[in-house]
Amino acid sequence: MEFKDYYAVLGLERTVAQDEIKRAYRKLARKYHPDVSKEPDAEARFKEVAEAYEALKDVEKRAAYDEVGNRYKGGQDFNPPSGWNRGFEFSGGPEGDGHDFDHSDFFESLFGYQAAGGRGARGRGQRAGEDHHAKVQIDLQDAYRGGRRSISLRVPRIDASGQATIEERHLEVNIPKGIRDGQHLRLAGQGGPGQGDGPAGDLYLEIELAPHPIFRLDGRDVYLDLPVAPWEAALGASVTVQTPDGSVQLRVPPGSSPGRTLRLKGQGLPSVPPGDLYAVLSIRLPPADTPTAQDAYRRMAEAFGDFQPRPVLEA
Amino acid sequence: MNTTNRTVTPCVVVEEEVQFTLVELSRVCRTDVDQLVTLVMEGVLTPSGEAPERWRFGGATLRRARVALRLSRDLELNAASTALVLDLLDEIDALRSRLRCLGSD
């Protein structure tokens, strides 16, 4: 296990005053919060930052961390000395204060699984299980066609001896046709187990559609770029276009200019009513890299002697 | 350790088939009812029905409520600031999706 330098994560010196820690955290949290940030590694960075803040914002935890930290550098191999935290008694925050994510092994080894938001069996009697949340990435094709998908989830569990272990769970789910990015599936009774006769909680799966190299999504509508040759745009053409569910023939009307959007009604994501598929035209010029090609461009220039490509600039 | 379950687990699309009461939503979002009431009062969440015990939240509220709660917890925002951030995020989403449609992503 690597030692984590929480001060370095927040860009701070070890001697920093307590309120500087809050300031540094807030600044980084605004930058990397996965709900606002578009930085590619936002989620991972935010986890680090939030974990560092959790360890340092509390004076007791910070003192305990400093005690160990004085002997280590970030990235160095770390073995918690046995019973090192004897003598520290964490008052502990309110329940439910924890984040949605798992803490690093390093954090858990220092502050324990419970402090890391792990939930053991609590109370007695009857109690409904907790609802669980997970994210599942699917392809655009899965959303178009629907169908059975095997999903594996990693679930932390507390075993009989009170140790936290990670259990892998497999579920077979029928992805409904036309599911959209950001929608949720509810799997009744697949969340945390209930206590006593209490019912199990539900499992909520947030659907994330994997970015597609060709198609872009806007709700139910699907967009693609359709490059055409200059003569296809000028004279019209019938072209074969790939859709997420196969291919269709599309008529490019004569006199089309770049940016023209052609709509294929009902070929977007299936739904009631279904979305549309939009092909956005762009014009690809053939390279003038052979004498024949250059001649063709010269003949074109002669034929269009009066053509003004820049009427505004030259007015 | 593996638990294998090869039978198909039935599911519903929350955004299309589910409505939540205030208590149900607080359970799903793992928060207390008061915090959700505050979000309704700030106009972040808009249930149908008049009194809190009759409120019904559409399935799409799940996502919005979870984002609002994460933002207020992680960025230590009050309800009014959370409302402002969510409105701005909606606007950014709309602009991003227009950009995507134009192919300039």
Side-chain angles (χ1 to χ4, degrees), chain A residues 127-130 132 157 189-195 198-201:
Chain A
R127 187 185 177 119
E130 285 182 319
H132 287 178
R157 292 242 186 265
Q190 297 292 328
Q195 272 179 41

Side-chain angles (χ1 to χ4, degrees), chain A residues 12-226:
Chain A
L12 297 169
E13 298 288 326
R14 286 184 184 210
T15 51
V16 73
Q18 200 63 29
D19 52 346
E20 280 292 326
I21 292 175
K22 184 187 231 176
R23 203 172 305 154
Y25 163 73
R26 285 195 174 171
K27 204 169 159 190
L28 290 167
R30 285 196 299 272
K31 185 169 179 198
Y32 290 113
H33 198 280
D35 289 315
V36 293
S37 173
K38 289 292 161 198
E39 305 267 342
D41 56 348
E43 197 161 346
R45 283 301 306 271
F46 180 71
K47 274 185 194 176
E48 274 181 12
V49 168
E51 185 176 299
Y53 182 54
E54 217 178 319
L56 300 182
K57 74 174 171 187
D58 180 280
V59 184
E60 293 170 11
K61 279 200 186 120
R62 184 181 173 190
Y65 172 78
D66 285 349
E67 175 81 12
V68 180
N70 287 335
R71 281 172 278 148
Y72 288 91
K73 277 192 191 125
Q76 208 175 328
D77 193 42
F78 172 73
N79 289 304
S82 66
W84 72 273
N85 56 356
R86 228 169 270 147
F88 292 106
E89 191 181 311
F90 304 119
S91 15
E95 213 185 313
D97 190 35
H99 294 272
D100 293 341
F101 51 79
D102 300 332
H103 290 75
S104 65
D105 291 345
F106 173 73
F107 186 97
E108 286 181 12
S109 78
L110 276 188
F111 302 112
Y113 182 71
Q114 289 294 331
R119 296 171 174 86
R122 277 181 276 111
R124 268 177 298 171
Q126 192 172 317
R127 187 185 177 119
E130 285 182 319
D131 290 335
H132 287 178
H133 294 264
K135 261 190 190 177
V136 173
Q137 203 182 53
I138 64 168
D139 293 333
L140 184 58
Q141 274 83 355
D142 294 334
Y144 255 72
R145 290 172 198 164
R148 200 157 153 174
R149 260 290 296 266
S150 199
I151 287 164
S152 27
L153 298 167
R154 286 159 58 82
V155 197
R157 292 242 186 265
I158 315 273
D159 65 19
S161 58
Q163 288 288 307
T165 57
I166 298 288
E167 199 175 278
E168 194 145 306
R169 236 179 119 200
H170 297 276
L171 285 172
E172 297 284 315
V173 180
N174 278 328
I175 303 284
K177 205 169 159 171
I179 190 94
R180 299 202 295 280
D181 192 42
Q183 288 192 318
H184 295 77
L185 299 179
R186 180 169 75 184
L187 285 68
Q190 297 292 328
Q195 272 179 41
D197 288 332
D202 298 334
L203 172 64
Y204 287 83
L205 295 179
E206 183 180 340
I207 298 291
E208 195 179 78
L209 280 189
H212 195 280
I214 298 177
F215 303 106
R216 303 183 293 276
L217 279 167
D218 183 24
R220 296 186 181 94
D221 297 330
V222 181
Y223 285 76
L224 82 147
D225 286 322
L226 180 63

